Amino acid sequence: MNVLKPIRVRFAASRKRLAWAALAVPLALLLLAAWPHTEAESRVPSPLLPPQLEWVGTLHSAADVAPKAGFLKRFIKKVVGLDDRKKAMLMPQGVAVDAQGRVLVADPRERVVHVFDAARKKYSTLHAPDRDPMLAPIAVSLDGSGKIYVTDALRARIFVFRPDGKFSGTIGGISKNESIFKRCTGLAIDPQRGRMYVVDTVAMQIVILGMDGKVVNRIGKPGANGGEFNYPTYITVGKDGSFWVMDSLNFRVQHFSGEGKFLDAFGRLGDGLGAFDKSKGVALDSEGRLFVVEGRNDRVQVYDASGRLLFYFGHTGNAAGEFFLPTGIAINHDTVYVSDGYNRRVQIFHLRPDTGLDAGAAGGR
């Protein structure tokens, strides 16, 4: 009689149970990760905002616009490592919205422009060809036909894409290593007047181009007087053709006519209301109010055309309505999009009708 046989059988059975247990633990974890959250678990806390604004949501990755996959598909993606959340922004900068409602976000860390198409539930990216790649896309703007223009700070040129995302060419390059720009950053296009306004940060200038890419005018030089700059960054153009420039290290916003004549300026260094520190994006809403993104103070301040502070929103953090080194901004049909740089997202707000409140009553925390 073989007394070892039952022992071997019991040992083999134990090994099988251990193997199933080892498999069951990660399987259970994956099932829990993919399991849908309850409404209470998914609810986002209401941000502290002024009455003029309503928080709408955020964009961070492809998963924010792509259709939600079924349980089995999500489970398989997690197992094989194809989670859509990996198609995410790393350092969002300039942002724009096209006529189709697509949100385009320049990302110098990823070296692409992210395209979020919520209406069609699609996500894509804009890439230049390998022979002529983008290295540091900063700002995005569009012309009247829907063409997409992207400044590249390291390549010192503007990349142009067709509305369908196909690469069309570049503007500003003289040769492979030469350009009409030193370091192009901010960009604004006036389709009605056929003008392109490009911030050349290192040259301390605004370069005005025709839509054919030819230089019409250059304005500015290093300095602190009206019409002079100290490392300007972003720019926006109004309905009347005048444009506003964030003169970052002079801690002010400058206002110019469409031809480049200096009109006015406001701002000062500081962290109090009405002051700037490491300011970035600027944008105008339908009422002509100027929105200024403050990177170091983690907020957006809103002014009238004379430079009077109307209200502000945001403070440091990563919750809804909070920022960590915000950068670019765009406004489309009174919806505000703010690139929240180190939080790796774009936050979306809706502008409510004017409440008649001043900055003291309407400011955020």
Side-chain angles (χ1 to χ4, degrees):
M1 182 177 179
N2 187 356
V3 295
L4 295 177
K5 186 174 181 180
I7 298 174
R8 290 196 187 103
V9 171
R10 287 196 297 271
F11 180 69
S14 298
R15 289 183 62 185
K16 286 183 179 179
R17 284 195 295 271
L18 287 171
W20 276 109
L23 180 63
V25 171
L27 180 62
L29 291 173
L30 286 169
L31 289 172
L32 287 172
W35 198 261
H37 297 295
T38 65
E39 183 179 349
E41 291 171 331
S42 302
R43 190 178 298 120
V44 177
S46 297
L48 180 63
L49 291 171
Q52 293 92 335
L53 281 178
E54 176 185 7
W55 185 82
V56 176
T58 63
L59 293 172
H60 167 68
S61 71
D64 294 320
V65 293
K68 189 174 182 179
F71 169 77
L72 181 59
K73 190 173 182 179
R74 295 201 310 273
F75 172 71
I76 293 172
K77 281 189 172 185
K78 285 181 179 294
V79 171
V80 300
L82 294 177
D83 193 345
D84 280 342
R85 287 175 297 181
K86 292 184 178 180
K87 299 177 181 177
M89 292 183 283
L90 290 182
M91 182 54 70
Q93 292 275 340
V95 57
V97 183
D98 69 6
Q100 303 175 55
R102 299 183 302 176
V103 181
L104 301 97
V105 188
D107 187 339
R109 189 77 61 82
E110 284 284 337
R111 299 181 177 182
V112 300
V113 173
H114 303 272
V115 182
F116 297 92
D117 190 347
R120 296 163 187 81
K121 298 181 179 180
K122 292 182 179 179
Y123 164 86
S124 59
T125 56
L126 301 182
H127 291 271
D130 291 340
R131 68 179 185 279
D132 197 15
M134 290 192 294
L135 297 180
I138 298 295
V140 187
S141 192
L142 300 110
D143 67 13
S145 69
K147 278 187 178 180
I148 304 161
Y149 298 76
V150 184
T151 57
D152 190 306
L154 291 182
R155 295 296 310 281
R157 61 200 66 203
I158 299 168
F159 287 78
V160 185
F161 299 86
R162 296 185 336 213
D164 63 3
K166 300 293 184 182
F167 176 69
S168 178
T170 61
I171 294 172
I174 298 172
S175 66
K176 186 175 181 179
N177 298 313
E178 291 183 285
S179 172
I180 64 173
F181 309 114
K182 289 186 178 179
R183 189 180 180 89
C184 53
T185 51
L187 174 66
I189 292 176
D190 184 350
Q192 294 182 338
R193 297 165 183 84
R195 289 288 183 266
M196 193 182 312
Y197 300 90
V198 185
V199 179
D200 193 336
T201 298
V202 173
M204 317 286 187
Q205 288 185 331
I206 307 302
V207 184
I208 304 176
L209 306 176
M211 295 311 297
D212 58 1
K214 294 181 179 178
V215 177
V216 174
N217 195 8
R218 290 178 180 267
I219 64 169
K221 62 180 181 179
N225 295 320
E228 299 175 348
F229 300 107
N230 188 10
Y231 292 95
T233 51
Y234 284 82
I235 188 169
T236 189
V237 63
K239 295 177 182 178
D240 62 356
S242 67
F243 59 93
W244 304 77
V245 181
M246 175 47 62
D247 188 8
S248 291
L249 293 189
N250 276 328
F251 311 103
R252 64 183 180 180
V253 177
Q254 295 200 61
H255 188 197
F256 297 85
S257 71
E259 292 71 38
K261 179 182 177 182
F262 171 77
L263 299 176
D264 198 6
F266 66 88
R268 66 183 188 279
L269 173 62
D271 58 7
L273 291 180
F276 300 140
D277 194 355
K278 298 296 186 294
S279 296
K280 300 287 187 178
V282 287
L284 291 161
D285 71 3
S286 60
E287 297 182 16
R289 297 177 295 193
L290 184 69
F291 288 60
V292 180
V293 177
E294 282 195 87
R296 179 164 289 181
N297 291 325
D298 295 321
R299 66 189 178 195
V300 179
Q301 298 194 96
V302 184
Y303 299 84
D304 66 15
S306 67
R308 182 173 69 96
L309 179 64
L310 301 174
F311 64 94
Y312 72 97
F313 60 98
H315 56 276
T316 305
N318 57 16
E322 299 175 343
F323 303 111
F324 187 12
L325 293 178
T327 51
I329 185 170
I331 302 176
N332 182 60
H333 299 301
D334 293 331
T335 299
V336 182
Y337 302 80
V338 181
S339 290
D340 189 4
Y342 273 43
N343 282 326
R344 300 181 178 183
R345 63 186 179 181
V346 170
Q347 295 203 64
I348 307 170
F349 305 85
H350 177 68
L351 278 167
R352 292 172 171 152
D354 186 14
T355 61
L357 296 175
D358 60 18
R365 184 168 59 192

